[in-house]
Amino acid sequence: MKVIILSANAYKEKDAIVNALSEEKQISFLVRGVFSSNSKKSFVNVPLSIVDVVFTEGNAKHKSAKTVELISSPLHVTDSLSHLSTIALISDLCNKLVSDEEKYLLYPHLMKVINSLEKGIPPYMPLSYLVGKILEITGYELNLSNCVRCGKTSDIIEFSFVEGGFLCKDCYDAEVDSHLTVEQMKVLRHAILSKDNEFPADKFSLEDTKVVFNKLMEFIYDCFSVRFKNIENI
């Protein structure tokens, strides 16, 4: 079974209980010898590693891994502070914002994000995409298709996080706080609604993608009252 590792917690002296996502559900399983000095399974302690696991049969307290083989590790890309902070933030977003029952819904989106990061895509658009999917799963989906007030699809001039979507020129008024420029609205829409498997590194400026990501993280705080300490290092 191919799974994405979310976290690993020490169990007894040298073993670990691994929390991971499959296509169908979140699972936990025991991996023995993870913390041994000569362990060849230490990769299970790295969030976002993709592994192939085969389970032993039986009715033990914890499902136990018979074999676990590494498919890919985010640490193979780079060990820069920015990349490590990105990995930590993705893990925190998944673990802190999405219920265990719904975490499996993140599986295809995490695969897309991991693939993009492995190709060296700057992190802000993949992160914005993931935040958008988390908002959708948790009931805070943003309206990125039409005016949130009247449903009009043309003459869009503003985006309001307070109202959760675009506003057209007929619905916009001076009381609406200005959140994004026109170019940043394009970034937001492309990042979250894109059906591509990759995020273009040269279509939008790095500054605009960073602004959009930071605005989304402010919205996450407004929705969940949770702040994440890894953001400033990305």
Side-chain angles (χ1 to χ4, degrees):
M1 175 188 292
K2 183 163 70 172
V3 301
I4 303 171
I5 291 175
L6 293 180
S7 63
N9 302 306
Y11 179 74
K12 295 186 177 179
E13 185 177 351
K14 298 180 180 179
D15 305 336
I17 299 295
V18 176
N19 300 307
L21 294 182
S22 73
E23 287 185 288
E24 299 178 347
K25 61 183 178 180
Q26 178 178 337
I27 60 173
S28 297
F29 55 92
L30 175 67
V31 180
R32 298 194 180 279
V34 172
F35 298 108
S36 299
S37 59
N38 59 348
S39 174
K40 296 181 180 180
K41 302 174 184 176
S42 58
F43 54 81
V44 304
N45 199 33
V46 180
L48 304 190
S49 291
I50 301 173
V51 305
D52 185 21
V53 58
V54 176
F55 300 109
T56 58
E57 298 180 0
N59 297 313
K61 179 180 178 181
H62 296 288
K63 185 189 293 287
S64 183
K66 181 179 180 180
T67 62
V68 56
E69 297 182 1
L70 180 65
I71 297 175
S72 70
S73 169
L75 297 186
H76 289 170
V77 180
T78 175
D79 61 355
S80 70
L81 177 60
S82 173
H83 187 69
L84 294 176
S85 298
T86 300
I87 295 169
L89 176 60
I90 291 172
S91 179
D92 283 347
L93 286 167
C94 297
N95 286 318
K96 294 182 178 180
L97 302 183
V98 183
S99 68
D100 290 347
E101 293 76 16
E102 294 182 311
K103 276 192 178 71
Y104 77 95
L105 297 172
L106 290 170
Y107 183 89
H109 309 306
L110 279 175
M111 282 293 190
K112 180 175 178 177
V113 170
I114 292 169
N115 180 62
S116 297
L117 295 176
E118 285 180 345
K119 293 182 177 180
I121 301 296
Y124 297 115
M125 287 194 74
L127 285 170
S128 295
Y129 168 81
L130 180 62
V131 170
K133 296 307 175 185
I134 288 174
L135 290 171
E136 180 180 333
I137 290 169
T138 54
Y140 294 96
E141 183 176 6
L142 298 172
N143 186 339
L144 301 174
S145 300
N146 47 47
C147 176
V148 72
R149 292 185 180 178
C150 71
K152 190 176 179 180
T153 57
S154 60
D155 297 323
I156 301 296
I157 63 169
E158 186 57 84
F159 182 88
S160 170
F161 280 101
V162 174
E163 299 195 41
F166 289 131
L167 292 171
C168 71
K169 67 178 184 180
D170 296 328
C171 293
Y172 174 78
D173 56 63
E175 295 182 358
V176 176
D177 292 333
S178 179
H179 289 146
L180 299 172
T181 66
V182 171
E183 191 68 12
Q184 289 162 3
M185 286 191 287
K186 292 178 181 178
V187 171
L188 178 66
R189 193 172 192 279
H190 186 92
I192 295 179
L193 298 184
S194 174
K195 303 299 182 182
D196 300 331
N197 290 324
E198 297 181 7
F199 300 96
D202 56 356
K203 188 171 183 177
F204 305 104
S205 74
L206 184 62
E207 183 59 31
D208 280 336
T209 60
K210 183 177 181 179
V211 168
V212 169
F213 166 69
N214 285 329
K215 291 286 188 180
L216 282 168
M217 293 307 296
E218 291 175 10
F219 185 61
I220 284 287
Y221 177 74
D222 291 340
C223 294
F224 299 94
S225 298
V226 178
R227 292 199 186 277
F228 297 88
K229 61 184 179 180
N230 303 297
I231 296 175
E232 64 271 15
N233 294 322
I234 293 174

